């Protein structure tokens, strides 16, 4: 748009004008941020914005780093970090930012398994792990069954079965498993 400033002429002098063009700029938007806010150490997640053209940064790179252009967040150590998305202002408008918190968790352990690896048909033994809270499973229930909560293994028929102990992953970390082979005679 053009702005005109006019001074009225007096004493027989003409009016004097000056003009200036003013450009009005729409302020930038940092958009709406999205992406998984839980990540395991060593794993990655992608943050995105509904508004393109910004740059990503992390307030705590000891916990989580972020690629400035792609928004790929990498878990470094346990804790939280604030990830900031900044869109540069133009035409006299200020920069705008949006933030999203990421929580980084440590991988779980399924522990060390113990229990008799040789059973007779019809006999039982209780398997255990040094880590609580997991569940048990058998690779072949026709050879050996295992109670999912107690770890009691029962020999069913001659053969070999793999007993698996699984701890459910949390905080962006995957499930972890440990195995122990049982031979039924």
């Amino acid at each position: 748009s053009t702005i005109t400033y006019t001074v009225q002429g007096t004493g027989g002098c003409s009016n004097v004008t000056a003009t200036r063009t003013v450009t009005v700029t729409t302020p930038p938007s940092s958009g709406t941020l999205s992406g998984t806010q839980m990540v395991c150490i060593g794993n990655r997640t992608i943050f995105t914005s509904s508004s393109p053209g910004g740059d990503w940064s992390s307030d705590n790179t000891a916990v989580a780093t972020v690629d400035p252009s792609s928004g790929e967040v990498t878990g470094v150590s346990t804790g939280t970090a604030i990830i900031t998305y900044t869109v540069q202002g133009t035409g006299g408008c200020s920069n705008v930012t949006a933030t999203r918190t990421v929580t980084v968790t440590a991988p779980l352990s399924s522990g060390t398994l113990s229990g008799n690896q040789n059973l007779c048909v019809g006999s039982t033994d209780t398997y255990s792990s040094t880590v609580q809270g997991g569940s048990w499973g058998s690779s072949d229930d026709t050879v050996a069954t295992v109670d999912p909560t107690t770890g009691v293994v029962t020999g069913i028929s001659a053969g070999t079965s793999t007993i698996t102990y699984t701890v459910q992953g949390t905080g962006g970390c995957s499930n972890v498993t440990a195995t122990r082979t049982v031979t039924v005679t």
Side-chain angles (χ1 to χ4, degrees):
S1 136
T2 302
I3 305 293
T4 303
Y5 180 73
T6 303
V7 176
Q8 296 295 324
T10 59
C13 293
S14 302
N15 293 346
V16 182
T17 62
T19 60
R20 178 133 183 137
T21 301
V22 176
T23 302
V24 178
T25 305
T26 303
S29 169
S30 54
T32 302
L33 303 186
S34 59
T36 303
Q37 291 179 266
M38 302 289 284
V39 66
C40 194
I41 291 174
N43 288 351
R44 294 179 167 91
T45 186
I46 301 285
F47 280 5
T48 60
S49 172
S50 59
S51 182
D55 293 311
W56 298 92
S57 62
S58 171
D59 78 328
N60 192 347
T61 56
V63 171
T65 60
V66 62
D67 182 282
S69 58
S70 71
E72 182 178 70
V73 178
T74 302
V76 177
S77 67
T78 59
T80 59
I82 297 171
I83 306 299
T84 302
Y85 184 69
T86 303
V87 176
Q88 299 296 316
T90 59
C93 295
S94 300
N95 296 349
V96 291
T97 61
T99 61
R100 191 162 179 85
T101 301
V102 63
T103 301
V104 181
T105 56
L108 301 171
S109 169
S110 52
T112 302
L113 304 186
S114 60
N116 191 344
Q117 291 185 273
N118 295 299
L119 292 176
C120 287
V121 171
S123 66
T124 64
D125 191 51
T126 302
Y127 278 23
S128 63
S129 173
T130 55
V131 172
Q132 300 301 310
S135 61
W136 298 93
S138 173
S139 67
D140 190 344
D141 284 336
T142 64
V143 172
T145 61
V146 62
D147 183 286
T149 55
T150 65
V152 174
V153 178
T154 303
I156 303 298
S157 65
T160 301
S161 181
T162 301
I163 305 299
T164 302
Y165 184 69
T166 302
V167 177
Q168 295 297 312
T170 60
C173 294
S174 301
N175 295 348
V176 289
T177 60
T179 60
R180 190 159 180 87
T181 302
V182 62
T183 300
V184 179
T185 54

